[in-house]
Amino acid sequence: MQRDPDSAAPGRGSFDVHPATTLLRDILNLTGDFERHLGRELTVNPTDLEAMEELIRDGALSPTELARRLHMSTAAVTTVVDRLTAVGHVSRERNPDDRRGILVVPHPDSVRKAMGTLMPMILGMDAVIGGFDDAEQDTITAYLERVADVYRAQLPGTEGAGQPAGV
């Protein structure tokens, strides 16, 4: 079902794709909706939520590391941390490994609140894939790995940028 990429230009209508590709687009849209919902639950904006996600996933981070992960300046991250501190989601604590350094530490109550929203979705997804036999799970996993490879190939600075996976 290959189409000329120019036919997909805005205002030219839709083009034929496999139903699985359409479902992936739906999942991406729903992911955005879910992230906005989580942001509302935590009363944070999208940038602050992104910082919280890093801290929830990996625990305390230095402001410099958080800035690197968010692709922001340390000054901008200071503003993010100030906002998160003001609403009680994080605290600044001395880095035990570096007397001059500080760590941004997620508050356990905020982590619990976020996980209370995230875990039903995560466990629901695991239950869905658990309903397939091993061979089907392997096929689904292989498909999703290849889709992720296609995304990576389109990002600048990644190996194979601009080339479809498998080319």
Side-chain angles (χ1 to χ4, degrees), residues 37-112:
H37 165 69
L38 181 58
R40 285 188 302 272
E41 288 291 308
L42 296 175
T43 63
V44 296
N45 68 39
T47 302
D48 296 359
L49 179 60
E50 194 175 348
M52 283 297 299
E53 288 170 349
E54 292 292 332
L55 295 165
I56 289 167
R57 182 177 45 250
D58 293 329
L61 297 170
S62 71
T64 302
E65 177 60 16
L66 192 55
R68 186 190 67 75
R69 292 180 183 204
L70 298 176
H71 308 285
M72 299 174 77
S73 69
T74 53
V77 164
T78 296
T79 302
V80 169
V81 173
D82 287 346
R83 285 192 303 259
L84 290 172
T85 300
V87 294
H89 289 312
V90 302
S91 61
R92 289 178 173 97
E93 298 181 12
R94 292 243 176 254
N95 184 339
D97 299 327
D98 176 3
R99 318 180 308 169
R100 295 177 296 162
I102 65 161
L103 294 173
V104 180
V105 180
H107 192 282
D109 289 342
S110 295
V111 173
R112 272 192 291 282

Side-chain angles (χ1 to χ4, degrees), residues 111-147:
V111 173
R112 272 192 291 282
K113 186 171 185 173
M115 295 309 288
T117 301
L118 288 167
M119 287 311 294
M121 182 193 59
I122 293 168
L123 294 174
M125 285 186 217
D126 258 11
V128 168
I129 195 132
F132 292 94
D133 66 35
D134 290 346
E136 291 170 321
Q137 288 181 23
D138 290 345
T139 300
I140 293 165
T141 300
Y143 170 71
L144 292 173
E145 285 171 345
R146 291 176 192 170
V147 167

Side-chain angles (χ1 to χ4, degrees), residues 1-4 16:
M1 266 190 239
Q2 193 124 7
R3 298 269 316 233
D4 176 7
D16 295 327

Side-chain angles (χ1 to χ4, degrees), residues 16-27:
D16 295 327
V17 296
H18 193 280
T21 304
T22 301
L23 287 170
L24 279 173
R25 171 51 51 202
D26 290 346
I27 289 169

